[in-house]
Amino acid sequence: MQYSIYALVIFAAAAFAGWLAYPIWSRRPGVGVHAFVVMTLGIALWTAATALEITLTSADGKMLATHLIYIGLTAVIPSWLIFAMQYTGHDRWITPRRLLLFLIEPVLLQIVIATNDVHHLFWTQRTLETVNNLIVFDFHLGSLFWFHAIYSYALLLVGAALLVRALVRSPQLYQGQVAYLLVASLTPWVANFIY
């Protein structure tokens, strides 16, 4: 194992995200509560697994953590859009059939990641490298990674567009809430840009 202040900060963020799910859950049956809790728990798993990936040094351990990262990530993206739809009054768009459609990409992605060593479509290559005294994976991204990225950003963008529309149309009393949600929605964009 390797120790880093980054991992400690990320573990703290994961703990906060996990804790945040509890007070939000107690507000049910509120608008968007279920989707927000799924999103928050996905963020908690995503960040905790990221911290775990930083602390582990073996390729197998890092790969397990990477699988967990993508499980959390694929829970966050569709639940964000579902939350944005519910929050902005577009509940009618959320049907059982559409919810099932939202599950297709995350499930297929987990299969693709689990079988990547056979086809190399998600990562064409991965090697352990030492960067600033930390052992990290260096991933060479394949075509299915880019498909997943485009799909994820499209869902994030649609959710953000719904919030922008709500910001413009909402009474001034609610504009602050919508603005905070928009700023929060930028976090994955910034994190991925830095990554």
Side-chain angles (χ1 to χ4, degrees), residues 93-104:
W93 293 355
I94 304 166
T95 64
R97 181 179 174 157
R98 286 192 180 124
L99 288 175
L100 281 175
L101 288 174
F102 278 130
L103 291 176
I104 292 172

Side-chain angles (χ1 to χ4, degrees), residues 1-4 6-12 14 44-69 134-137:
M1 291 190 82
Q2 56 191 0
Y3 299 97
S4 167
Y6 302 116
L8 185 60
V9 170
I10 295 170
F11 271 127
L45 177 59
W46 178 5
T47 52
T50 299
L52 182 63
E53 194 272 334
I54 290 171
T55 60
L56 297 174
T57 56
S58 72
D60 289 341
K62 285 185 172 297
M63 204 60 231
L64 175 61
T66 300
H67 282 277
L68 294 173
I69 288 168
L134 289 176
I135 299 171
V136 297
F137 263 133

